[in-house]
Amino acid sequence: MKEKVIEVRNLVKKFGSFVANDHLNFDVYQGEIFGFLGANGAGKTTAMKILCGLSSPTSGEAKVAGFDIYKETEKVKRNIGYMSQKFSLYEDLTVAENIRFFSGVYGISPADRKEKQDKLLKDLGLESAKDSLIGSLPLGWKQKLAFSVAIFHDPKIVFLDEPTGGVDPITRRKFWDLIYEASDRGITVFVTTHYMDEAEYCNRVSIMNAGRIEALDTPENLKKQYSAKNMDEVFLKIAR
Amino acid sequence: MISIQHISKSYKEVQAITDISLEVQKGELFGLIGPDGAGKTTLMRILMTLLIQDEGTATMNGFDVIKDYKKIRNMVGYMPGRFSLYQDLTVEENLNFFATVFKTTVAENYELIRDIYIQIEPFKNRLAGKLSGGMKQKLALSCALIHKPEILILDEPTTGVDAVSRKEFWEMLKNLQQKGITILVSTPYMDEATLCNRVALMQKGKVLDINTPRNLVDGYTRKLYAIRSNDMHCLILDLRSYEKTDSVYAFGQYLHVTGKDDEVEATEFENFLMKKNHENLEVFDIAPTIEDVFMNMMGKGDQLT
């Protein structure tokens, strides 16, 4: 059995009388690609904020990377990475400046940074673009770099919040290559998406509706359970 | 109804759209399909008279977008990509505001918005900023319709919207089309192309093709295979390493694969993959989707290294 990197027990989050997260229970394992799906307003963002240490639950328990999400939020933040389509890199800083900034945020020493930065740029074939502004790079490169920066500090888990929204179909698929590579390296990937084809690429998928997790299993089992021919149908059956 | 002739627009050194020409017929549901940076928003802003093109001409219902901008603004409903209603007004106040601006009343055109507005009417005293994503979208559409426009322009109304709400939204658009409104809608979701009468596939400021979804798919003449096995990631890597493979793209539970020069048989892929010990291997012919068509048209030079 693989190590659990996220453990959630009876997690509840209320805003006044509104229950945004209603007794969530789930585990996510090391190296797993975990799809976190749900309709708009189902409570995904609320749950993600709690797991990233940015918000406290009303009740219940959760551990992320082994740390308690009430008392050890700073340790949680050190051990996770985060990226979304809306926020990833600073467009008006260069490639090297972005790496330097995020290294600082994640507490990587300047000496370590130098070595890791050289390796990263070499691996990505971006050595010549080191001093280019992010805004001038093609979208595919930007995404590759944004993802690499999100896992630059070797987090146990990376949270991806709609990383592929509005991205062209080829770049979107190349992004999933990066996700698979990270997972092969043992990094857990926790990802949200509105593209139902991408739900098929996850090891397991949870589907939220009105604050609850209505389904959680492998895409294969979910399709069987809901007698659906693809994840789109599963989603429509649960969220409608 | 909408006529666009050789329109180009650049922002300083960035060329946003280049020499775009297209016609939208009266009563048509026309889609601009393409990823971020394709130029969809720029084109819509020019049509909405919010931006002036560098070159070319465009008319809406015969009116020029530069000379006759005041007439166009009275005739067109617009839903921009970013939610742009007044967050600190209530649902009802927003709707009344837009009706008043256009010198009409909610009562006068209620019939047109009824099916949509009725779903948010129970919350009419709620501030617009406090609505959920799906409800904001319905309010924005109601406000865009309240002056009974002849043309409706919608900039990515379904971006960031879940699969269920997206379906509902397209049903609303179909209903509006039935009422005779000409609709121009943009979307990055390729699957939504099939819901339009005709579409323009756009990328990097250019139109790749304009056609009905059916003709686009029929125009794809390549031999396309669907392939799957128990280990999909390994399958992608193996197929990429095969010298007879041209392209490999994930499509949900299958990969869509083409062979070099379209001369590779299904059995060849199968034999190659059997040697790589793939379990539960399936290889079969499959009809292309709009997304296959789009990817095939995308310039090879645009791909990542």
Side-chain angles (χ1 to χ4, degrees):
Chain A
M1 198 64 159
K2 280 200 164 170
E3 184 199 344
K4 286 177 189 169
V5 292
I6 300 178
E7 291 175 69
V8 176
R9 294 289 173 273
N10 292 316
L11 188 82
V12 176
K13 177 74 181 184
K14 290 183 188 168
F15 297 103
S17 61
F18 178 72
V19 185
N21 288 162
D22 189 359
H23 293 87
L24 304 187
N25 284 288
F26 63 94
D27 295 320
V28 183
Y29 299 93
Q30 197 217 337
E32 188 172 30
I33 302 173
F34 189 84
F36 197 58
L37 311 185
N40 300 114
K44 300 189 300 285
T45 304
T46 302
M48 278 250 263
K49 278 191 176 161
I50 293 170
L51 296 178
C52 291
L54 299 173
S55 163
S56 264
T58 308
S59 63
E61 284 153 42
K63 276 187 173 179
V64 174
F67 299 108
D68 182 81
I69 45 114
Y70 290 94
K71 293 186 215 121
E72 299 172 301
T73 52
E74 286 313 308
K75 284 184 183 152
V76 167
K77 287 178 201 167
R78 256 176 240 275
N79 284 280
I80 61 169
Y82 176 84
M83 175 192 162
S84 77
Q85 178 60 19
K86 289 194 192 82
F87 176 75
S88 45
L89 300 170
Y90 290 97
E91 297 266 311
D92 47 359
L93 295 183
T94 66
V95 170
E97 286 166 345
N98 265 288
I99 293 176
R100 191 169 143 206
F101 175 80
F102 284 100
S103 300
V105 167
Y106 285 118
I108 297 171
S109 74
D112 287 350
R113 183 187 80 226
K114 181 78 183 66
E115 196 179 314
K116 283 177 73 101
Q117 173 174 320
D118 290 346
K119 186 176 179 315
L120 173 69
L121 293 175
K122 193 161 171 271
D123 289 349
L124 296 182
L126 274 176
E127 288 145 307
S128 59
K130 187 168 148 257
D131 298 316
S132 306
L133 291 180
I134 292 296
S136 70
L137 297 181
L139 178 66
W141 288 22
K142 257 190 240 177
Q143 280 226 311
K144 236 175 167 173
L145 187 66
F147 186 71
S148 303
V149 166
I151 58 172
F152 195 61
H153 57 299
D154 298 312
K156 289 202 165 151
I157 307 153
V158 62
F159 289 88
L160 305 174
D161 193 0
E162 289 185 41
T164 56
V167 171
D168 72 69
I170 292 180
T171 306
R172 189 158 78 81
R173 284 168 174 80
K174 301 235 165 171
F175 191 77
W176 274 87
D177 286 348
L178 302 178
I179 292 180
Y180 281 126
E181 278 165 28
S183 153
D184 286 346
R185 276 170 50 192
I187 297 175
T188 303
V189 180
F190 190 96
V191 59
T192 71
T193 180
H194 287 309
Y195 289 100
M196 286 305 124
D197 58 334
E198 294 185 348
E200 308 269 1
Y201 314 149
C202 300
N203 297 122
R204 285 188 307 148
V205 167
S206 75
I207 301 179
M208 281 188 81
N209 193 21
R212 294 204 192 113
I213 292 183
E214 297 286 349
L216 198 176
D217 213 324
T218 62
E220 210 55 44
N221 287 343
L222 286 174
K223 281 180 270 181
K224 265 184 216 144
Q225 191 187 333
Y226 289 90
S227 3
K229 69 174 192 295
N230 54 38
M231 283 305 292
D232 197 32
E233 279 188 21
V234 172
F235 188 84
L236 290 176
K237 282 188 176 171
I238 292 172
R240 186 147 250 174
Chain B
M1 195 68 172
I2 303 175
S3 173
I4 300 167
Q5 305 291 336
H6 305 293
I7 291 269
S8 296
K9 173 77 189 172
S10 61
Y11 305 106
K12 289 179 187 160
E13 70 274 27
V14 182
Q15 187 71 33
I17 51 178
T18 312
D19 194 21
I20 289 187
S21 298
L22 61 89
E23 305 271 339
V24 179
Q25 307 305 320
K26 189 172 164 53
E28 197 170 26
L29 176 50
F30 192 99
L32 300 177
I33 315 287
D36 292 356
K40 308 185 297 292
T41 299
T42 298
L43 185 61
M44 287 184 161
R45 286 195 181 147
I46 290 170
L47 295 176
M48 282 311 303
T49 76
L50 299 171
L51 201 61
I52 293 177
Q53 68 270 29
D54 300 334
E55 285 168 61
T57 55
T59 59
M60 304 270 276
N61 199 13
F63 296 109
D64 184 90
V65 290
I66 297 177
K67 282 200 309 254
D68 308 317
Y69 71 94
K70 282 189 178 164
K71 288 201 178 100
I72 289 176
R73 289 180 188 180
N74 275 319
M75 206 181 64
V76 185
Y78 177 49
M79 196 171 144
R82 266 186 56 192
F83 182 69
S84 51
L85 303 180
Y86 295 96
Q87 313 252 6
D88 49 355
L89 294 184
T90 65
V91 168
E92 198 175 28
E93 284 167 344
N94 266 292
L95 195 60
N96 279 324
F97 173 81
F98 283 94
T100 312
V101 165
F102 287 105
K103 300 189 175 69
T104 181
T105 60
V106 174
E108 197 171 329
N109 294 317
Y110 188 76
E111 192 52 35
L112 185 62
I113 63 162
R114 194 186 57 203
D115 295 346
I116 302 158
Y117 188 65
I118 210 159
Q119 302 175 53
I120 48 173
E121 214 164 14
F123 313 99
K124 66 182 181 186
N125 293 320
R126 193 178 286 188
L127 294 181
K130 302 270 182 205
L131 296 176
S132 74
M135 287 200 279
K136 276 184 182 165
Q137 198 194 29
K138 282 172 187 140
L139 177 60
L141 185 58
S142 300
C143 290
L145 285 168
I146 198 61
H147 60 298
K148 214 174 174 197
E150 292 175 56
I151 301 173
L152 191 57
I153 292 191
L154 309 160
D155 193 358
E156 295 203 17
T158 54
T159 291
V161 172
D162 68 68
V164 173
S165 307
R166 285 211 280 144
K167 271 214 165 74
E168 286 176 3
F169 195 82
W170 277 94
E171 281 161 20
M172 289 189 270
L173 290 191
K174 290 272 178 204
N175 288 336
L176 291 170
Q177 189 192 10
Q178 301 281 311
K179 292 177 179 161
I181 299 175
T182 304
I183 303 172
L184 180 68
V185 56
S186 66
T187 178
Y189 293 101
M190 303 283 151
D191 56 335
E192 294 183 347
T194 53
L195 303 166
C196 302
N197 299 124
R198 285 191 309 143
V199 298
L201 300 184
M202 292 180 68
Q203 197 208 357
K204 295 191 170 172
K206 292 187 180 142
V207 169
L208 301 172
D209 202 356
I210 299 173
N211 220 322
T212 63
R214 186 60 205 263
N215 285 346
L216 281 174
V217 168
D218 287 349
Y220 182 96
T221 52
R222 303 199 62 180
K223 244 182 168 167
L224 190 67
Y225 298 107
I227 303 182
R228 70 170 296 168
S229 79
N230 276 3
D231 187 344
M232 293 297 276
H233 186 220
C234 193
L235 186 67
I236 294 181
L237 298 177
D238 284 343
L239 278 165
R240 278 190 196 144
S241 74
Y242 185 36
E243 76 273 5
K244 291 190 173 178
T245 302
D246 185 38
S247 68
V248 185
Y249 294 117
F251 266 81
Q253 46 200 331
Y254 291 95
L255 304 180
H256 284 192
V257 180
T258 58
K260 287 249 161 75
D261 303 319
D262 295 317
E263 284 171 354
V264 188
E265 297 299 322
T267 47
E268 290 178 82
F269 282 119
E270 212 165 343
N271 290 336
F272 171 78
L273 292 166
M274 298 274 260
K275 275 185 243 147
K276 298 276 183 184
N277 301 318
H278 279 280
E279 287 175 42
N280 293 328
L281 184 66
E282 285 178 57
V283 181
F284 57 91
D285 293 356
I286 193 157
T289 65
I290 295 279
E291 203 159 2
D292 290 294
V293 174
F294 190 91
M295 289 199 284
N296 194 43
M297 283 179 187
M298 278 178 74
K300 299 263 183 212
D302 299 324
Q303 295 185 19
L304 294 186
T305 45

